[in-house]
Each structure stands twice: as structure tokens, then as C-alpha cells.
Amino acid sequence: MKKTILLTALVLSGLTSFAQSNDEKNIKLFYKKALTESKAYTWLEYLSNDIGARLSGSQNAQLAVNYTKSQLESLGLDKVYLQEVMVPHWVRGEKESAFILNGKVKTAVPICALGGSVATAKTGLTAEVIEVQGIKELAELGDKVKGKIVFFNRPMNPENVETFISYGACVDQRFAGAKEAAKLGAVGTIVRSMNLRLDDFPHTGAQSYGDLPKEQYIPTAAISTNGAELLSATLKSNPSLKFYIKQSCETLPDVLSYNVIGELTGTVTPENIMVVGGHLDSWDLADGSQDDGAGVVQSMEVVRILKNLNYKPKNTIRVVLFMNEENGGKGGAKYEEVSKQKNENHIFALESDSGGFSPRGFSIEADDANLKKIQGFRDLFEPYLVHSFTIGHAGSDISHLTSKAIVKAGLKPDSQRYFDYHHAANDKFDAVNKRELELGAATMASLVYLLDQTGIEMPKAN
């Protein structure tokens, strides 16, 4: 009886193996390659620990360009080249300082200047504080904010399992808060960090003065979530308290930088281009390992896996490491500008810019036909715990692409811990798990492969 059971099991095992599709076999191979011989973690270690923070216009940004170009060249791709792009050059200057001045009690709180902010006077800025929950409430206060520091204290909503929804619902106060407060005569703004947990790390990020004249620019900074809680509580007991802030940031002339590009040329329709990429720049407070060193090395790993397996793509597969996503988006815009000049045809673009955590699926920008096609791949991904294929924002850099028929996707990792690190001083190499990083790269390679093999659904002519 035992022999019969064993024989039956062996036969069934053989049938299962025989019935396995080529797609299943290849995807399994992609994951094996990523989990056993990936270079992604080694590349990330160098970007993070040997180069470090890579804000656009900095020397470290140029070092990252040189390093990633050399690594792509070592893979033996068909083409590797640089694409010139002028980028903004903002520098933080000396470490910022801030205090709550509650009568005779002086309490230090952690802050950091927001990207693009102007400096305070050399002696700093001291003023009364008025707390608001957002730009709408600010507008309702009108001239009551004149001469004061506006404190934007709307937190990220913890009820959303998808944390990017919470981020999107309150990031407007960081990006446009200073502009709107300046219009009403405020002398500065501080913004609660975009972070779901309570800690002492202020999170920087882009802000814009819009079309305000430069003489109306006011200093703006992020305050840690613990600092925001303390300031809010202290304001309730003493609405007349004052706040002191000192920062010495400045904007220097634009700098020449580069997008880094590598290609595997298509063998059937090389004129059709599939992009996979992330952004090479990072904020200046830390290594930018999650944002977006992870996405950079995952994108490089996609083409390494395909090249290593001697895969001959039907379409041209192009890895693009974009410069200046964080404070300007110049790299993505320049890539599209050059693409238009060359009359290139992009059929697919995949971006990784949501951290190096365990992959859960993709956020997709596509019409119904192509969405259904990608959702039809779900069974191939489920063995790897990848299951979410939903409509949503694919990525900032690839948002510039405007080819007539293009499908866009963003890698969607588990987002629960992402905003613990996003734009903060703890976004370092040790925050990234090697295995999770590699799983993300394999997931990206699998989607690129499947769409290269099957193509995209072209829109029907009217």
C-alpha cells in the first residue's frame, strides 16, 4: 500500500511539473536568481554607506551617477549612457534649531527645513504661533495669522490600511502651506511631519512658494511628530507662547546632472520601449535607502536578471535612473522631452518608489483592457504572495510619459512602515531588509517579462 501511494505521488509530481507553463517556470527562475545571486543589496550598500545622501546638485549625486553607470556597464547591456538634465541646487546649511518659549521655560524640539525653503535671519525668528489643521482652516482665519508662525498640525489618518492615502490627504499643507500662509502675512510656518508614528525624527520634503514674489518668501520647516504633539498641548495651556526657529538654507544656481540609462535592445519590435526605473537622488538627511535607493537597485536588478538568463526581449527594455524626483522632477521631464524629440514609442513603464518592503502587487494606470490583462496574471504571482493589481498612481517620474498607447505601473510594497523612514534621518541602509528588497526586484522582472511576451492591448480605432 505504501509503495502504491509513493508511486502515485511521484506520478502526480511529474504531471504537475510537466503541466507547468513556461511563464511559471521563468517566473520561478526570476525569483530564484533574485534570492540567491542578486547584486541589489550590494549595490544599495555602496550607494548608502559609501556615497550617502544624494540631493540633486550635490557632489554625492554625481558620485551616484558615476557608480550606477559603471555598474550597468559591467552587466554587458547593449547600451549604457547618460542624459543631461539641469537640476536645482538647494543646500540645507547648518543644522536647524527650534525652541518652544513658554514663559521662562525653553524647550528644544526637533525640526528640519523643508526643501526649497529660505533661511531665517542669522539671529533666527521668534513669533507667536497659531495652530491650524490645514490650508482650508488657514484661509478662514484670514489676517489673524499676520505676524505669526503658522503651525500646520493635521496628522496622517491611522485608519487607512493603505498609508499612501493618508499621506496624500495631508501632504498639501507641507507643499503649499508656506505659500498660503505668506499671502496672509505670516512670518513662518512649521508643519507636522508626514509620519504615522510618534518619534523625534522631523521629515523633510518638497515645498513650493508658487508664483509669490521672492520678497514674500517665508521660512518653513517640519517638526517631528513628538514635537508637534508637545507644541499643540502647550499651546492649549498657553495660546500666547512663542516659537523660535533658526535655519540657514539657500538655493544656489542650477547644476548640470544626468539621468542614467541602460538598454537591452528588442529583437522583434525594438522601436517599442519598456521602461523600468527609480530615482537616483535622495533627500540630504540620510542615505535615502528606502527612498529611493531601493527602487534604483531593484530596477538595475531587473535587467541584470534578464541579461544573466540570456533573455532576448521582443521590445527594448530600458532601465532609467531618474535624477531630481525629490525637489523638482526635472529628470522625468527631461526624459520625456528627449523622447518626444526622438519620436520614441513607450508601451510600458514600471517605477519603484515606495520603498524596499515585501512586494504586494502593483498600482496601475491603464485602460480597462490592459488592467484586465495584468489582473489576469494574478495566478502567476500568488505563489509569491503578490496579489494586489489595482488602479492607482504609478510613479512621479514616469508620470511625464505621454506616448499614445502606454501602460504604467508602480511596484506596491507593504506600506505600513514606509513613512517611519520617508524623508527622515533614519532612512539608512539598515532599514532595508535584503530578502524583501530582492523579492521586489523579482516581482518587477516578472511583470516586465509577462508584458514583453504578451504585449499591451492597443486602443481600438474610433
Side-chain angles (χ1 to χ4, degrees), residues 135-377:
I135 291 174
K136 181 180 179 181
E137 185 179 341
L138 170 70
E140 292 169 352
L141 290 172
D143 60 6
K144 291 180 181 179
V145 307
K146 189 172 182 179
K148 296 184 179 181
I149 294 173
V150 175
F151 169 36
F152 290 95
N153 193 33
R154 183 165 82 256
M156 290 178 66
N157 186 349
E159 294 180 13
N160 296 312
V161 174
E162 176 47 75
T163 61
F164 280 90
I165 295 174
S166 301
Y167 176 73
C170 63
V171 74
D172 63 325
Q173 62 190 344
R174 188 197 74 198
F175 186 76
K179 177 186 71 173
E180 298 304 323
K183 291 177 182 178
L184 298 174
V187 294
T189 63
I190 48 179
V191 183
R192 183 188 184 98
S193 288
M194 304 294 111
N195 181 7
L196 280 158
R197 72 178 182 180
L198 293 175
D199 62 26
D200 293 319
F201 293 104
H203 294 229
T204 192
Q207 69 85 34
S208 172
Y209 296 112
D211 57 0
L212 285 180
K214 288 187 176 180
E215 56 269 21
Q216 285 187 246
Y217 290 5
I218 59 175
T220 180
I223 185 171
S224 72
T225 48
N226 275 338
E229 292 287 296
L230 177 62
L231 177 56
S232 182
T234 311
L235 272 170
K236 286 179 174 63
S237 62
N238 179 14
S240 299
L241 67 76
K242 291 187 177 181
F243 194 84
Y244 169 83
I245 177 174
K246 182 182 178 183
Q247 56 191 43
S248 57
C249 42
E250 63 177 321
T251 298
L252 303 173
D254 288 358
V255 171
L256 176 64
S257 191
Y258 305 90
N259 294 326
V260 183
I261 302 173
E263 288 184 7
L264 291 172
T265 305
T267 57
V268 179
T269 50
E271 69 278 9
N272 291 340
I273 299 168
M274 305 177 71
V275 162
V276 57
H279 65 83
L280 194 50
D281 61 306
S282 75
W283 281 108
D284 58 319
L285 296 177
D287 310 334
S289 299
Q290 293 283 6
D291 185 20
D292 184 33
V296 165
V297 300
Q298 285 173 330
S299 300
M300 294 168 66
E301 179 66 11
V302 169
V303 292
R304 189 203 70 82
I305 289 172
L306 298 178
K307 178 65 178 178
N308 183 263
L309 292 172
N310 199 32
Y311 177 69
K312 303 297 183 184
K314 294 180 178 180
N315 308 287
T316 294
I317 297 175
R318 183 181 287 174
V319 56
V320 184
L321 311 181
F322 297 94
M323 182 57 68
N324 186 232
E325 186 272 346
E326 292 292 7
N327 62 334
K330 301 293 185 181
K334 172 56 73 170
Y335 180 83
E336 167 65 358
E337 177 188 329
V338 174
S339 175
K340 278 188 172 181
Q341 291 170 355
K342 294 182 176 180
N343 198 30
E344 292 181 334
N345 180 43
H346 289 80
I347 62 170
F348 177 62
L350 171 60
E351 185 166 344
S352 174
D353 186 19
S354 298
F357 300 100
S358 291
R360 294 290 178 254
F362 298 95
S363 182
I364 302 161
E365 296 178 34
D367 58 15
D368 288 344
N370 283 295
L371 176 63
K372 289 178 181 177
K373 172 187 272 289
I374 294 174
Q375 290 175 335
F377 299 147

Side-chain angles (χ1 to χ4, degrees), residues 1-12:
M1 183 66 178
K2 288 183 178 179
K3 289 183 179 180
T4 303
I5 294 173
L6 179 60
L7 181 60
T8 302
L10 288 172
V11 170
L12 289 174

